[in-house]
């Protein structure tokens, strides 16, 4: 009897718990549903001057139509606020150093580093400098964002998981999003300056010329067939003390740089002489860190301009930033960006002594830095007080016993503006080039093409005005504070240009752009090696009067292993019969190099992975001693940060094999390379994978997730993209890494937007229940483009006064 009563109560308890679980799941689902954006219907919007319609296609891509550009700014803000608010919040907080308020003490290191720049305080100064029309345009966007956020049935789901409340959007926040891109695109220059300074101090002049060259044989500049490579630089008679100093065993215990996935962006413009239509073709794939949702939000805009002309602009916007079409086409001109890696930041060594307490000395003399007390709010912990000391050159950063002024163009009030609107509405190539040079963005390579087949390149965004070029400032520790620095921003009319080159082709991919004297105007803020640029340029040379947008799109998917193929050839020569005798793993390594190789960074290729990892194994054996010391200055300070051209020096040493540069502990240069082979075997099999199964795809597997899933891994299944194996790598046009790669691919001829092609990882929405959360992602993985213009309207939302 008691057993029966116990069974009945147990059954009732389990049923109650099951019902509560169902109710909880139902409540969570209903909450998530309530936070989905509004796709259809009519809304009252007193701020618009006339009716605005938002027509979304099946992928969620909107065509926004209205009477003027300012009304469209409101509607864009409404969509961004509903679809992407949490993403926007992270961007503004990152720039301002306010992430710890959401994520607690673990975000403090980044907040401290970013709060040093006091960008929230600087935003007020920039806003005061905007003219009335630009300020009204920005405020209309802000109103749309906040109306969109308030119109949701529940706050965005991320805040429910985090326990925070979304803070209303402001005009200053939109500027902070632009500064977040300054950090993303130029933030590594501090570590680079420190690394180059340490190396310059440690190396003698001959070693410096050899290990830190200003060009590479791979460079493919816009104004010449090539840059003269430093072949005549002799190998110095001695190596630096740290060269190969840790030895093979110790180097294995030091975390190497590993593969560098985070360099990229390609763009190119084909002149009308190379296209089948006679119009220019512009291609752009901007390479950035990948997460969900995608950084870009696609849209098309239709409105009437101030002259009464009907306008259409299509492309991508950056949620949170001023509501502009960042890259796209307007029917007259098309444009796209890559990071320029111009030298836009100096670390200026400051003198201090007891005779001048509280003061520092710059080149201009002694001064007392202004002090600003900053409060960093920390979730679950007391607030932290940070005192920022600011000199006339910028805030003071302490590195060990040294003090530096961070002199960065991003601090200049003129570095941000809304001149991009002029680019968006340009009718000719000349108008677009002039507008781009005056744009208030991080310095970018921009290529532009027009309907008549003209093409041009310039630097869009803020450049420092240097009297003595940019290269000399790369050595802050070596110059004892007496550095040539810059004063103000370079006037837009002085930005270098290349227009309608005889070859009818312009290609940039983050490497050195110029061989002539204008190269000194830009300096070198961390150029890529140049192999990717050269491969893309050479591959496009075959298109002479026959190119169309599909052929141009295929060029962005070029994953031929031209660069790594040279290392494979060198490696096969090292693995002779003596080297593999008695070493079954080396013998298998050689066989895989020969048989599991198709000349591409293919997901099934073991040979590609082995050749690429071998290159980095050599790096670790030779440079680990330097990297150990560099990372005491900054976690990102490495030889790779100092120069991407180190492989050229290593290749030359392997070819010429000077005895003075052979690290101790190795009987020959072949023994060193075999040690790199053994290290490579250890690296690729460390997780238990058999060598024969260590394919490139196993290493290059997508790990694209929502930021919340990074904090709560249990949600990765619902907030992450599939773990697809991705073809491509760094030194080829199809740049692909697990969390970095082509954030979009766009190819278009201005005036022929109906033929334009586009794809991107992720989808339009950041909400996992949205039908647009991953819509189009699979096509991006496969490299299958969709139409650039939105398709037929499936959902229509209308704003009326």
């Amino acid at each position: 009897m008691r057993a029966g009563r116990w069974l009945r109560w147990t059954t009732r308890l389990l049923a109650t718990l099951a019902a509560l679980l169902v109710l909880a799941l139902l409540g969570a689902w209903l909450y998530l549903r309530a936070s989905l954006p509004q796709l259809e219907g009519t809304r009252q919007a007193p701020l618009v001057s006339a009716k605005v319609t938002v027509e979304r296609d099946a992928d969620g891509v909107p065509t926004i139509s209205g009477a003027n550009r300012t009304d469209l700014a409101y509607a864009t803000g409404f969509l961004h606020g509903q679809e992407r608010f949490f993403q926007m919040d992270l961007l503004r907080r990152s720039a301002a150093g306010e992430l710890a308020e959401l994520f607690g003490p673990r975000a403090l290191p980044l907040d401290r580093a970013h709060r040093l720049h006091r960008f929230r305080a600087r935003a007020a100064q920039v806003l005061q400098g905007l003219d009335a029309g630009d300020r009204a345009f920005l405020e209309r966007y802000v109103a749309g964002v906040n109306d969109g956020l308030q119109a949701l049935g529940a706050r965005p789901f991320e805040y429910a998981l985090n326990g925070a409340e979304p803070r209303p959007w402001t005009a200053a926040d939109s500027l902070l999003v632009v500064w977040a891109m300054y950090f993303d695109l130029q933030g590594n220059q501090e570590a680079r300056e420190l690394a180059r300074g340490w190396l310059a101090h440690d190396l003698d002049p001959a070693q410096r010329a050899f290990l830190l060259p200003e060009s590479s044989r791979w460079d493919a500049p816009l104004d010449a067939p090539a840059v003269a490579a430093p072949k005549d630089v002799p190998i110095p008679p001695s190596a630096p003390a740290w060269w190969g100093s840790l030895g093979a065993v110790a180097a294995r215990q030091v975390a190497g740089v590993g593969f560098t996935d985070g360099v990229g962006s390609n763009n190119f413009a084909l002149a009308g002489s190379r296209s089948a239509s006679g119009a220019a073709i512009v291609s752009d794939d901007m390479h950035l860190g990948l997460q969900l949702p995608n950084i870009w939000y696609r849209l098309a805009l239709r409105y009437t301009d101030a002259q009464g002309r009907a306008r259409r602009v299509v492309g991508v916007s950056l949620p949170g930033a001023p509501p502009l079409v960042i890259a796209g086409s307007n029917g007259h001109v098309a444009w796209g960006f890559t990071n320029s890696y111009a030298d836009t930041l100096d670390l200026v060594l400051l003198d201090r002594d007891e005779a001048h307490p509280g003061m520092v000395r710059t080149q201009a003399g002694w001064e007392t830095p202004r002090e600003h007390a900053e409060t960093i709010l920390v979730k679950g912990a007391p607030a932290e007080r940070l005192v920022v000391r600011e000199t006339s050159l910028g805030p003071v950063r302490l590195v060990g016993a040294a003090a530096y002024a961070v002199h960065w163009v991003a601090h200049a009030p003129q570095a941000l503006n809304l001149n991009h609107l002029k680019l968006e509405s340009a009718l000719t190539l000349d108008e677009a080039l002039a507008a781009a040079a005056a744009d208030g963005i991080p310095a970018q390579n921009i290529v532009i093409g027009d309907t008549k087949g003209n093409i041009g390149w310039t630097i869009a965004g803020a450049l420092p005005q240097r009297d003595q070029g940019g290269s000399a400032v790369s050595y802050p520790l070596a110059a004892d504070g007496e550095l040539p620095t810059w004063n103000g921003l370079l006037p837009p009319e002085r930005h270098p240009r290349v227009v309608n080159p005889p070859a009818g082709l312009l290609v940039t991919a983050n490497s050195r752009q110029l061989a002539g004297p204008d190269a000194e105007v830009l300096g070198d803020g961390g150029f890529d090696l140049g192999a990717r640029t050269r491969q893309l340029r050479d591959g496009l040379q075959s298109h002479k009067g026959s190119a169309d947008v599909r052929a141009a799109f295929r060029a962005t998917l070029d994953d031929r292993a031209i660069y790594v193929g040279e290392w494979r050839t060198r490696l096969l020569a090292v693995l002779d019969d003596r080297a593999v005798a008695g070493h079954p793993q080396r013998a298998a390594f050689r066989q895989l190099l020969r048989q599991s190789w198709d000349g591409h960074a293919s997901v099934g290729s073991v040979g590609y992975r082995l050749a690429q990892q071998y290159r980095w194994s050599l790096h670790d054996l030779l440079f680990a001693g330097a990297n150990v010391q560099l990372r005491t200055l900054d976690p990102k300070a490495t030889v790779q940060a100092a120069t991407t051209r180190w492989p050229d020096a290593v290749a030359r040493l392997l070819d010429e094999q000077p005895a003075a540069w052979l690290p101790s502990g190795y009987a020959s240069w072949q023994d060193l390379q075999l040690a790199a082979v053994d290290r490579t075997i250890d690296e690729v099999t460390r997780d238990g994978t058999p060598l024969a199964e260590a394919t490139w795809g196993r290493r290059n597997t997508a790990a694209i997730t929502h930021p919340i899933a990074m904090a709560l891994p249990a949600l990765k299944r619902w907030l992450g993209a599939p773990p697809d194996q991705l073809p491509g790598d760094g030194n080829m046009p199809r740049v692909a890494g697990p969390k970095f790669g082509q954030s979009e691919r766009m190819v278009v001829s201005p005036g022929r937007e109906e033929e334009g092609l586009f794809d991107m990882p992720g989808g339009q929405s950041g909400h996992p229940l949205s039908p647009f959360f991953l819509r189009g992602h699979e096509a991006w993985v496969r490299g299958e483009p969709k139409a650039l213009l939105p398709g037929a309207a499936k959902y229509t939302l209308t704003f009326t006064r």
Side-chain angles (χ1 to χ4, degrees):
M1 190 69 157
R2 291 179 180 175
R5 185 180 300 118
W6 181 87
L7 181 61
R8 286 195 300 274
W9 279 106
T10 300
T11 302
R12 290 172 183 172
L13 178 61
L14 291 175
T16 301
L17 290 175
L20 290 174
L21 178 61
V22 169
L23 287 173
L25 292 174
L26 178 61
W29 184 82
L30 290 173
Y31 183 92
L32 283 173
R33 292 287 302 174
S35 61
L36 281 168
Q38 180 179 354
L39 302 182
E40 297 182 291
T42 300
R43 296 194 60 85
Q44 294 293 316
L47 290 178
V48 300
S49 64
K51 183 175 76 171
V52 179
T53 61
V54 177
E55 298 172 301
R56 286 181 171 94
D57 68 7
D59 291 338
V61 182
T63 298
I64 309 174
S65 304
N68 56 64
R69 190 65 181 82
T70 303
D71 284 353
L72 269 55
Y74 173 88
T76 302
F78 188 93
L79 300 187
H80 286 174
Q82 292 217 317
E83 301 261 25
R84 301 290 193 90
F85 190 83
F86 186 72
Q87 170 194 3
M88 296 160 56
D89 194 10
L90 293 186
L91 287 171
R92 67 175 169 181
R93 288 178 180 274
S94 175
E98 298 169 352
L99 287 169
E101 187 178 0
L102 278 183
F103 299 111
R106 61 183 169 177
L108 274 173
L110 183 63
D111 275 1
R112 294 184 190 116
H114 286 192
R115 187 67 70 91
L116 181 73
H117 301 274
R118 302 183 61 250
F119 281 133
R120 185 168 288 283
R122 297 182 194 276
Q125 185 178 2
V126 175
L127 287 172
Q128 288 179 355
L130 294 180
D131 66 35
D134 287 348
R135 182 64 184 266
F137 177 81
L138 184 55
E139 292 290 358
R140 196 67 56 86
Y141 172 74
V142 169
V145 171
N146 289 323
D147 284 355
L149 179 64
Q150 293 300 317
L152 293 173
R155 60 184 171 170
F157 76 94
E158 296 95 340
Y159 296 97
L161 293 172
N162 183 271
E165 289 292 332
R167 194 169 62 198
W169 199 255
T170 68
D173 292 333
S174 286
L175 300 182
L176 286 168
V177 172
V178 181
W179 273 309
M181 296 308 294
Y182 268 97
F183 276 122
D184 196 12
L185 299 170
Q186 299 177 359
N188 286 336
Q189 288 194 28
E190 286 187 55
R192 171 182 164 80
E193 291 274 306
L194 290 169
R196 289 180 71 87
W198 184 88
L199 287 168
H201 181 75
D202 182 79
L203 302 175
D204 65 38
Q207 293 167 346
R208 187 160 60 238
F210 180 64
L211 292 175
L212 298 176
E214 295 184 1
S215 61
S216 164
R217 69 184 180 89
W218 294 98
D219 284 324
L222 298 168
D223 58 345
V227 177
K231 294 180 181 178
D232 56 341
V233 175
I235 295 176
S238 64
W242 48 260
W243 179 257
S245 60
L246 294 187
V249 175
R252 291 179 187 179
Q253 300 171 355
V254 177
V257 173
F259 292 105
T260 53
D261 297 315
V263 175
S265 288
N266 308 318
N267 65 13
F268 61 85
L270 297 172
S273 60
R274 287 187 176 272
S275 75
S277 69
I281 298 175
V282 171
S283 174
D284 189 38
D285 50 293
M286 296 177 281
H287 308 164
L288 296 166
L290 302 180
Q291 61 182 26
L292 298 178
N294 190 299
I295 189 171
W296 307 117
Y297 186 85
R298 297 179 60 189
L299 44 67
L301 307 176
R302 288 183 174 274
Y303 66 100
T304 302
D305 67 15
Q307 288 71 41
R309 296 172 297 212
R311 303 301 301 269
R312 180 180 68 183
V313 190
V314 60
V316 294
S317 62
L318 174 58
L324 308 163
V325 176
I326 304 299
S329 184
N330 68 7
H332 300 273
V333 297
W335 63 96
F337 295 103
T338 67
N339 196 14
S340 70
Y341 287 92
D343 187 358
T344 59
L345 181 149
D346 294 338
L347 290 181
V348 182
L349 189 62
L350 301 171
D351 286 339
R352 297 177 291 174
D353 65 32
E354 295 180 357
H356 298 83
M359 301 183 74
V360 298
R361 185 172 66 179
T362 70
Q363 293 93 324
W366 290 98
E367 62 177 85
T368 301
R370 300 183 305 278
E371 291 192 353
H372 305 275
E374 295 283 327
T375 300
I376 302 177
L377 301 179
V378 185
K379 179 182 179 182
E384 181 173 298
R385 185 173 184 268
L386 178 71
V387 177
V388 177
R389 303 179 71 218
E390 185 144 7
T391 71
S392 58
L393 295 177
V396 177
R397 176 181 175 180
L398 300 178
V399 181
Y404 297 92
V406 184
H407 196 33
W408 188 15
V409 295
H411 298 148
Q414 302 85 2
L416 275 72
N417 58 48
L418 269 64
N419 284 339
H420 197 89
L421 278 169
K422 298 176 182 177
L423 171 61
E424 197 184 271
S425 61
L427 299 176
T428 66
L429 176 66
D430 286 343
E431 285 182 16
L433 287 168
D439 208 347
I441 59 174
Q444 300 289 290
N445 296 305
I446 184 171
V447 296
I448 306 170
D450 68 15
T451 55
K452 297 179 180 179
N454 299 303
I455 59 174
W457 162 90
T458 191
I459 296 295
L463 286 173
Q465 182 167 264
R466 299 185 184 278
D467 294 330
Q468 301 181 41
S471 59
V473 300
S474 297
Y475 312 112
L477 287 175
D480 197 28
E482 298 301 319
L483 297 173
T485 187
W486 52 275
N487 184 22
L489 301 185
L490 187 71
E493 61 271 16
R494 289 181 54 192
H495 284 212
R497 285 188 184 186
V498 177
V499 178
N500 288 331
L505 173 64
L506 293 168
V507 178
T508 80
N510 313 116
S511 58
R512 181 169 171 170
Q513 308 95 329
L514 300 172
D518 278 342
E520 292 192 3
V521 175
L522 305 182
D524 181 351
F527 289 142
D528 195 17
L529 179 66
R532 177 162 44 92
T533 312
R534 178 172 290 274
Q535 182 169 332
L536 184 56
R537 185 197 67 181
D538 292 351
L540 291 166
Q541 293 281 12
S542 62
H543 297 294
K544 298 179 180 179
S546 62
D548 58 18
V549 291
R550 292 202 169 271
F553 192 91
R554 286 194 295 271
T556 70
L557 302 175
D558 180 4
D559 58 11
R560 290 175 296 147
I562 295 174
Y563 176 73
V564 171
E566 289 195 3
W567 289 90
R568 171 181 175 267
T569 300
R570 177 176 282 106
L571 188 49
L572 285 170
V574 169
L575 289 167
D576 56 22
D577 291 342
R578 184 189 68 84
V580 302
H583 295 277
Q585 284 284 69
R586 290 183 187 172
F589 190 106
R590 182 173 71 175
Q591 184 178 14
L592 290 165
L593 276 177
R594 291 170 172 170
Q595 297 181 359
S596 184
W597 172 270
D598 63 359
H600 294 255
S602 304
V603 296
S605 175
V606 178
Y608 180 84
R609 183 177 180 185
L610 297 182
Q612 178 67 298
Q613 181 65 59
Y614 162 75
R615 189 171 69 95
W616 284 103
S617 294
L618 275 173
H619 167 278
D620 290 345
L621 291 177
L622 297 173
F623 295 107
N627 284 335
V628 167
Q629 298 183 64
L630 288 172
R631 282 171 171 156
T632 65
L633 304 176
D634 187 290
K636 295 180 180 179
T638 62
V639 171
Q640 170 71 16
T643 175
T644 61
R645 301 175 182 121
W646 63 264
D648 287 358
V650 172
R652 188 170 168 198
L653 291 170
L654 296 180
D655 291 341
E656 300 186 27
Q657 302 191 357
W661 282 73
L662 179 66
S664 62
Y666 302 101
S668 68
W669 282 94
Q670 184 181 29
D671 284 350
L672 169 68
Q673 293 175 82
L674 291 175
V677 169
D678 295 340
R679 180 182 174 88
T680 296
I681 294 171
D682 288 347
E683 288 286 339
V684 302
T685 61
R686 181 172 295 175
D687 62 356
T689 302
L691 186 62
E693 298 175 15
T695 62
W696 179 243
R698 276 183 176 268
R699 186 270 169 189
N700 212 40
T701 299
I704 305 170
T705 62
H706 191 288
I708 287 293
M710 300 176 194
L712 301 171
L715 299 178
K716 188 176 295 185
R717 176 181 175 185
W718 296 277
L719 294 176
D724 298 295
Q725 295 188 355
L726 303 173
D729 193 13
N731 292 115
M732 56 188 60
R734 190 169 190 169
V735 169
K739 298 180 180 180
F740 186 91
Q742 294 170 314
S743 66
E744 48 76 48
R745 304 182 188 112
M746 178 188 74
V747 181
V748 61
S749 283
R752 304 172 70 91
E753 286 78 11
E754 286 75 10
E755 301 169 1
L757 302 174
F758 188 93
D759 66 14
M760 72 180 192
Q764 284 285 92
S765 177
H767 198 298
L769 292 188
S770 169
F772 316 131
F773 183 57
L774 286 174
R775 188 68 61 83
H777 179 81
E778 186 178 353
W780 173 82
V781 171
R782 295 194 305 263
E784 297 175 356
K786 294 194 169 189
L788 173 63
L789 286 174
K794 186 173 181 180
Y795 311 94
T796 300
L797 176 65
T798 302
F799 298 93
T800 60
R801 285 181 60 83

